Amino acid sequence: MQPFDQRILRRHRKIGTSGMMDRVVQKERRMRGTQWRMWSAAALVGGMLTGVSTGALAQGAPDEEKAAAPDMHELASRFNATRVKKDYSYIHRPPGDKVVEQPDMDRLLFWTKGGQPDGYAQRRGDSVIYYDAGGQAVRVQRLAPGEGD
């Protein structure tokens, strides 16, 4: 028995209700078990309602080192507030593609005649990086000093 149960039992024995005391102690134990089950169930339901799954807790946070490359639709939706004319003659254009310039980002978007994204080219420092429609780098073009200025 637990110390709390023994104290109650001693108090009731002094009064002379020992047979009844066993029933009281058993009832208190059942009540504690019921309360524990109720709180456990409430915590489980609360966890399910908040959307926290045990799989998500076990996996941890996603890798933040691996940044997702932007897709063509996201890049094309950005509005260029300043319309700047730049010379992009040094960037190779796929034949037959429609070219959309984003001069503030030093980027050219390539679209097929059917309206599907075909990739983009972006200048970074002294090189131009070509990406496919999925955002994966496919080619790097090194620029000579003074080229593309």
Short mmCIF file of all heavy atoms in Angstrom, two decimals, residues 38-57:
data_model
loop_
_atom_site.label_atom_id
_atom_site.label_comp_id
_atom_site.label_asym_id
_atom_site.label_seq_id
_atom_site.Cartn_x
_atom_site.Cartn_y
_atom_site.Cartn_z
N MET A 38 -8.18 9.16 -18.35
CA MET A 38 -8.87 10.29 -18.97
C MET A 38 -7.87 11.36 -19.42
O MET A 38 -7.96 11.89 -20.52
CB MET A 38 -9.88 10.91 -17.98
CG MET A 38 -11.12 10.06 -17.82
SD MET A 38 -12.30 10.64 -16.59
CE MET A 38 -12.20 12.39 -16.66
N TRP A 39 -6.90 11.68 -18.56
CA TRP A 39 -5.90 12.70 -18.93
C TRP A 39 -5.03 12.22 -20.09
O TRP A 39 -4.65 12.99 -20.97
CB TRP A 39 -5.04 13.08 -17.73
CG TRP A 39 -5.74 14.02 -16.81
CD1 TRP A 39 -6.21 13.73 -15.58
CD2 TRP A 39 -6.08 15.38 -17.07
NE1 TRP A 39 -6.84 14.83 -15.04
CE2 TRP A 39 -6.77 15.87 -15.94
CE3 TRP A 39 -5.89 16.24 -18.14
CZ2 TRP A 39 -7.24 17.16 -15.85
CZ3 TRP A 39 -6.37 17.53 -18.05
CH2 TRP A 39 -7.03 17.99 -16.91
N SER A 40 -4.71 10.93 -20.11
CA SER A 40 -3.91 10.39 -21.21
C SER A 40 -4.67 10.48 -22.53
O SER A 40 -4.12 10.87 -23.56
CB SER A 40 -3.55 8.93 -20.94
OG SER A 40 -2.77 8.82 -19.78
N ALA A 41 -5.96 10.12 -22.46
CA ALA A 41 -6.77 10.19 -23.68
C ALA A 41 -6.92 11.64 -24.15
O ALA A 41 -6.86 11.92 -25.35
CB ALA A 41 -8.14 9.57 -23.43
N ALA A 42 -7.10 12.56 -23.20
CA ALA A 42 -7.23 13.97 -23.56
C ALA A 42 -5.94 14.48 -24.21
O ALA A 42 -5.98 15.23 -25.19
CB ALA A 42 -7.57 14.81 -22.34
N ALA A 43 -4.80 14.07 -23.68
CA ALA A 43 -3.52 14.50 -24.26
C ALA A 43 -3.35 13.91 -25.66
O ALA A 43 -2.87 14.59 -26.57
CB ALA A 43 -2.37 14.07 -23.36
N LEU A 44 -3.76 12.68 -25.86
CA LEU A 44 -3.65 12.04 -27.16
C LEU A 44 -4.54 12.75 -28.19
O LEU A 44 -4.10 13.08 -29.29
CB LEU A 44 -4.03 10.57 -27.06
CG LEU A 44 -4.00 9.77 -28.36
CD1 LEU A 44 -2.57 9.71 -28.88
CD2 LEU A 44 -4.56 8.40 -28.16
N VAL A 45 -5.78 13.03 -27.80
CA VAL A 45 -6.70 13.72 -28.71
C VAL A 45 -6.20 15.13 -28.99
O VAL A 45 -6.24 15.61 -30.12
CB VAL A 45 -8.14 13.74 -28.12
CG1 VAL A 45 -9.04 14.67 -28.90
CG2 VAL A 45 -8.70 12.34 -28.09
N GLY A 46 -5.70 15.81 -27.97
CA GLY A 46 -5.15 17.16 -28.16
C GLY A 46 -3.98 17.15 -29.12
O GLY A 46 -3.86 18.01 -29.99
N GLY A 47 -3.12 16.16 -29.00
CA GLY A 47 -1.99 16.04 -29.92
C GLY A 47 -2.44 15.77 -31.34
O GLY A 47 -1.89 16.30 -32.30
N MET A 48 -3.49 14.97 -31.49
CA MET A 48 -4.00 14.68 -32.83
C MET A 48 -4.67 15.90 -33.44
O MET A 48 -4.58 16.13 -34.64
CB MET A 48 -4.98 13.51 -32.77
CG MET A 48 -4.30 12.19 -32.42
SD MET A 48 -5.46 10.88 -32.08
CE MET A 48 -6.14 10.61 -33.70
N LEU A 49 -5.35 16.69 -32.63
CA LEU A 49 -6.03 17.87 -33.15
C LEU A 49 -5.05 18.97 -33.56
O LEU A 49 -5.33 19.74 -34.46
CB LEU A 49 -7.02 18.42 -32.13
CG LEU A 49 -8.26 17.56 -31.89
CD1 LEU A 49 -9.12 18.17 -30.80
CD2 LEU A 49 -9.06 17.39 -33.16
N THR A 50 -3.92 19.04 -32.89
CA THR A 50 -2.95 20.07 -33.26
C THR A 50 -2.14 19.68 -34.48
O THR A 50 -1.43 20.49 -35.03
CB THR A 50 -1.97 20.36 -32.10
OG1 THR A 50 -1.31 19.16 -31.73
CG2 THR A 50 -2.71 20.95 -30.91
N GLY A 51 -2.25 18.44 -34.91
CA GLY A 51 -1.57 18.02 -36.13
C GLY A 51 -0.14 17.59 -35.92
O GLY A 51 0.61 17.41 -36.86
N VAL A 52 0.28 17.41 -34.69
CA VAL A 52 1.64 16.95 -34.43
C VAL A 52 1.61 15.43 -34.44
O VAL A 52 0.96 14.81 -33.62
CB VAL A 52 2.13 17.46 -33.05
CG1 VAL A 52 3.50 16.91 -32.74
CG2 VAL A 52 2.13 18.96 -33.03
N SER A 53 2.29 14.84 -35.39
CA SER A 53 2.32 13.39 -35.46
C SER A 53 3.61 12.89 -34.84
O SER A 53 4.62 13.58 -34.78
CB SER A 53 2.24 12.93 -36.91
OG SER A 53 3.39 13.31 -37.60
N THR A 54 3.56 11.66 -34.38
CA THR A 54 4.76 11.09 -33.78
C THR A 54 5.85 10.90 -34.82
O THR A 54 7.02 10.98 -34.52
CB THR A 54 4.43 9.74 -33.11
OG1 THR A 54 3.84 8.88 -34.08
CG2 THR A 54 3.49 9.94 -31.94
N GLY A 55 5.47 10.67 -36.07
CA GLY A 55 6.47 10.54 -37.14
C GLY A 55 7.20 11.85 -37.36
O GLY A 55 8.41 11.88 -37.58
N ALA A 56 6.47 12.96 -37.29
CA ALA A 56 7.10 14.26 -37.49
C ALA A 56 8.04 14.58 -36.34
O ALA A 56 9.09 15.18 -36.52
CB ALA A 56 6.05 15.35 -37.62
N LEU A 57 7.65 14.18 -35.12
CA LEU A 57 8.52 14.42 -33.98
C LEU A 57 9.78 13.57 -34.06
O LEU A 57 10.85 14.00 -33.68
CB LEU A 57 7.77 14.13 -32.67
CG LEU A 57 6.63 15.07 -32.35
CD1 LEU A 57 5.88 14.57 -31.11
CD2 LEU A 57 7.13 16.48 -32.13
#
